[in-house]
Amino acid sequence: MWQALTGIRVVDLTHWQAGPACTQILGWLGADVIKIEPPGRGDPARQNLKDLEDSDSLTYLVLNANKRSLTLNLKSEQGKAIIRGMVKTADVLTENFGPGTAESLGVGYEAMRELNPRLVYASVKGFGSYGPYAAYKSFEPIAQATAGAMSVTGLPEAEPLLNGAAIGDSGTGLHCVVAILAALLQRQATGEGQRVEVSMQDSVLNLLRVYMRDHQRLGGPVPAFGNWFRGVVPSGIFKTRGGRRNDYVFIYASEPNMWEALLRAIGREELVEDPRYATPEDRVSHVEEVRELIEEWTSQRDKQEAMRILGEAGVPCGAVNDTGDLVTDTHLREREMIVEPDYPSRGPFVTVGCPIKMSGSPVVVKSPPTLGQHTEEVLSELMGYDAAKVRRLREDGVV
């Protein structure tokens, strides 16, 4: 089956989340992603929060579908020779090593460019390769803290709050996909590859751009607003039937037609002409009254019913879904956003599918590779090694 990136080979030296999130998308879109892992232990994500003794962790599984795994000791001379041979025919190399590690292993950009001038060399870093923080290490919470996301998340009177979505890791991976695709497109015109770099702090800051707008508009640091979306009323979560932590629906009726549709949907048509709620500013002045009249209706319905009624009425709204709601969501299942590939040592597991839908490049989410599953296959294809040669490499601890 031909896909958008069929014929593109990616040598994937990434681990944990930000890099693998990037290369998984490339794999979904048809690239041949060859994941390079240390022999014996592999990507450290394989061991993260393991729930089954005889299976790799779900952390690894949800980030590494549609890839091939090759074990390779990059510290050995034979390992270095193999990676150099692979790079000569690769289109993309991705890495998210700590500062200076790629160079010490002999896989830095300049060395790889000499081998293959057409190579797109993609680096994911915490703070980038230059600037005062270049040598600093980073993880998801660090990226959110230093890019400002924590400062605008939560309630204004409470401490800064970590955003639950992995905007620092997977968000950076998405930015890296864009960079790689742009570099591949530019290569068609120039015939040359280049180095592309994304940093976690930069990526989260890009996602925070509307708050940077508000900093200028307000003339100072932007406070956290909780669920009140920058002065729009109604905008926030409203209690629904059930009484559990996530039994809420978020309603955002910012335009006059949305407000009118909301009133009609909840049976309060008599308020359409009420001067207390005529304009957005009027509704801000009566925010508690607005909340009470809406919650009187939502509290009598469960969150999914409230979402269905309001959504069909043209009111922007959404149930506050927890992970249990998501895995059974019929809409997400139909869109193949909740899928269950089969992993050899575990069987079917629930994971998230590809969010990019292309009519000419359909995606089938395949099982992530077991450690070294494709070592012999890849070395035969790319290096011309026979089974005996691979066996000797295994005995020497190279693969």
Side-chain angles (χ1 to χ4, degrees), residues 153-392:
T153 305
L155 298 172
E157 67 276 8
E159 64 184 15
L161 193 64
L162 187 68
N163 188 310
I167 58 176
D169 277 323
S170 287
T172 301
L174 285 167
H175 281 81
C176 193
V177 171
V178 174
I180 290 169
L181 297 181
L184 288 172
L185 186 61
Q186 186 174 358
R187 189 180 71 174
Q188 292 183 5
T190 66
E192 295 185 354
Q194 60 184 290
R195 182 179 186 181
V196 300
E197 177 181 285
V198 292
S199 93
M200 296 172 70
Q201 184 187 32
D202 294 352
S203 298
V204 176
L205 178 61
N206 184 50
L207 299 176
L208 205 75
R209 60 176 58 246
V210 294
Y211 289 94
M212 298 304 291
R213 171 208 66 185
D214 289 343
H215 178 93
Q216 297 175 77
R217 184 172 61 86
L218 299 173
V222 181
F225 288 102
N227 292 314
W228 187 35
F229 200 78
R230 288 191 281 280
V232 175
V233 174
S235 171
I237 57 172
F238 296 85
K239 290 181 181 179
T240 57
R241 189 173 61 204
R244 296 170 299 180
R245 180 182 181 274
N246 295 306
D247 284 327
Y248 288 87
V249 63
F250 198 109
I251 299 173
Y252 183 82
S254 59
E255 303 296 328
N257 63 316
M258 298 174 186
W259 170 245
E260 182 175 338
L262 173 61
L263 292 176
R264 295 188 185 284
I266 66 175
R268 299 302 300 270
E269 297 92 337
E270 77 277 7
L271 298 178
V272 170
E273 302 298 332
D274 194 311
R276 292 175 297 172
Y277 314 122
T279 68
E281 292 75 20
D282 293 329
R283 292 193 289 277
V284 169
S285 299
H286 296 84
V287 60
E288 290 304 321
E289 295 173 30
V290 171
R291 171 172 289 282
E292 288 176 9
L293 70 91
I294 294 174
E295 210 157 69
E296 180 182 358
W297 181 86
T298 59
S299 62
Q300 299 177 47
R301 292 156 181 83
D302 67 46
K303 59 187 178 183
Q304 305 298 344
E305 179 189 10
M307 176 180 172
R308 178 182 57 78
I309 293 171
L310 296 179
E312 291 177 355
V315 181
C317 65
V320 179
N321 288 328
D322 58 29
T323 52
D325 298 317
L326 296 175
V327 298
T328 59
D329 190 288
T330 55
H331 179 79
L332 294 176
R333 290 270 178 174
E334 184 172 330
R335 290 185 56 78
E336 297 183 310
M337 283 306 301
I338 299 295
V339 295
E340 297 188 35
D342 198 339
Y343 192 63
S345 59
R346 175 184 291 271
F349 68 97
V350 175
T351 189
V352 176
C354 181
I356 301 167
K357 310 299 183 184
M358 301 174 65
S359 62
S361 186
V363 173
V364 175
V365 177
K366 300 175 183 177
S367 174
T370 57
L371 181 60
Q373 178 180 345
H374 304 95
T375 297
E376 186 169 335
E377 174 182 292
V378 170
L379 292 179
S380 173
E381 288 179 15
L382 274 60
M383 304 297 291
Y385 293 175
D386 59 19
K389 172 71 169 177
V390 176
R391 185 171 60 254
R392 288 194 296 273

Side-chain angles (χ1 to χ4, degrees), residues 86-98:
M86 294 177 64
V87 165
K88 288 178 181 179
T89 62
D91 297 285
V92 179
L93 182 147
T94 59
E95 62 89 11
N96 63 341
F97 293 121

Side-chain angles (χ1 to χ4, degrees), residues 114-143:
E114 286 185 13
L115 295 171
N116 182 358
R118 288 177 52 82
L119 183 71
V120 173
Y121 186 103
S123 296
V124 175
K125 302 298 179 186
F127 293 97
S129 61
Y130 57 90
Y133 307 152
Y136 295 2
K137 295 179 180 179
S138 181
F139 287 94
E140 172 74 42
I142 308 303

